[in-house]
Amino acid sequence: MRHRASAAHVPTAAGAGIAITGVTKTFVSPGGVNVAALRGIDVHAAAGSVTALLGASGSGKSTLLHLLGGMDHPDEGSILVGETDVARLSRRDLVRYRRTVGFVFQHFALLPALTARDNVMLPLVPYRTSFDQRERAEQLLDSVGLGDRPDALPSQLSGGQRQRVAIARALIGGPRLLVADEPTGNLDSATGAEVVSLLLKLREERGVTVVVATHDEALAERCDQRVRIADGRRIGEPEHDAAP
Ligand SMILES: Nc1ncnc2c1ncn2[C@@H]1O[C@H](COP(=O)(O)OP(=O)(O)OP(=O)(O)O)[C@@H](O)[C@H]1O
Ligand SMILES: [Mg+2]
């Protein structure tokens, strides 16, 4: 993997601190049954830190990431990201807020017909920017170790390389927050470890705040703090390392 200092040339707003307080979310399933996905959860994360969300399947990790990323509203509670209470934003302001968040998913979600470069540029296509989007995409590919593969199609890349393209895409808007839902779930452990190293490197180089849902304890151990969730509630003592 090539790591060059070019990431420093891509400007990024400083990471946002996070304060999630008393958040609840209940879904009503088609049969009319209520599912309480989150039952009063509190999570705090320092600006520029990496937080792991751990918990069994169905414990509420993805729901919390969706709320944090402004993809949905909680029923109760507040979600401060920097100065913004995401829980109080109107639908229209949520759309604007989402542009300040980078999303990474388990299944990469790359468009198969587009090159790595075009996939990275995709989130910006509807917008005019003060910088050259193509050049920015190439710098980001370089900073995730794929500077020599801008023209590769997803089918020509390994799983780990595809995830690195997805991370570059998540960064193109200069997000203050990166939300990753099981980003190593489809990767073998060595490749997964490389992706985690990349997330930690990005935190170091850009100061972006990262929240990552995972089942992988080894991954979580490398993060700055671990938040354990069971049935929509926080369990155990806060576990964090020294401030980054
Ligand atoms: N849109 C929805 N409609 C109805 N129920 C939902 C919806 N989204 C999530 N749920 C329910 O909320 C609970 C929490 O789901 P969530 O996807 O947040 O869990 P998770 O911790 O991410 O699980 P996994 O590790 O399997 O990804 C589950 O019981 C799930 O079935
Ligand atoms: Mg999930």
Side-chain angles (χ1 to χ4, degrees):
M1 218 194 318
R2 270 195 319 158
H3 288 313
R4 289 218 246 111
S6 54
H9 300 198
V10 182
T12 308
I18 295 170
I20 296 171
T21 312
V23 162
T24 66
K25 180 73 184 174
T26 298
F27 294 104
V28 181
S29 66
V33 180
N34 286 347
V35 179
L38 296 173
R39 308 169 191 236
I41 197 156
D42 300 335
V43 178
H44 290 248
S49 65
V50 181
T51 297
L53 297 182
L54 288 153
S57 183
S59 57
K61 303 181 296 297
S62 295
T63 303
L64 189 58
L65 290 184
H66 286 156
L67 298 178
L68 191 55
M71 288 154 105
D72 203 355
H73 273 128
D75 299 328
E76 289 171 60
S78 65
I79 302 176
L80 279 174
V81 177
E83 304 296 307
T84 305
D85 188 348
V86 183
R88 304 276 171 280
L89 293 180
S90 65
R91 291 274 159 199
R92 179 197 273 187
D93 287 340
L94 269 185
V95 172
R96 204 167 298 146
Y97 167 77
R98 278 201 290 270
R99 286 176 58 190
T100 70
V101 182
F103 294 93
V104 178
F105 306 99
Q106 179 174 356
H107 297 290
F108 321 135
L110 300 177
L111 293 188
L114 296 186
T115 63
R117 182 199 297 106
D118 288 347
N119 266 289
V120 174
M121 286 167 60
L122 200 61
L124 291 182
V125 165
Y127 307 108
R128 255 190 309 217
T129 51
S130 58
F131 53 86
D132 186 275
Q133 299 185 0
R134 185 182 167 95
E135 199 179 308
R136 171 82 52 101
E138 288 176 358
Q139 286 171 345
L140 281 167
L141 282 171
D142 196 31
S143 76
V144 300
L146 289 171
D148 50 352
R149 306 295 302 277
D151 294 309
L153 293 170
S155 59
Q156 296 165 331
L157 297 171
S158 70
Q161 289 171 332
R162 287 181 211 182
Q163 193 57 300
R164 284 190 267 144
V165 174
I167 291 169
R169 179 185 55 190
L171 292 170
I172 193 143
R176 302 182 67 199
L177 169 64
L178 190 69
V179 162
D181 200 350
E182 300 191 39
T184 65
N186 262 1
L187 305 175
D188 63 67
S189 57
T191 314
E194 272 183 30
V195 166
V196 179
S197 298
L198 175 60
L199 291 175
L200 293 168
K201 178 180 91 107
L202 293 169
R203 179 272 312 268
E204 214 111 287
E205 287 180 355
R206 296 162 177 278
V208 62
T209 308
V210 180
V211 182
V212 51
T214 184
H215 289 275
D216 183 344
E217 284 283 345
L219 181 165
E221 277 307 313
R222 297 175 63 197
C223 298
D224 299 316
Q225 73 164 336
R226 286 153 291 286
V227 169
R228 294 178 191 278
I229 305 177
D231 290 329
R233 290 195 183 90
R234 181 104 182 235
I235 53 166
E237 295 298 310
E239 293 174 47
H240 44 81
D241 300 341

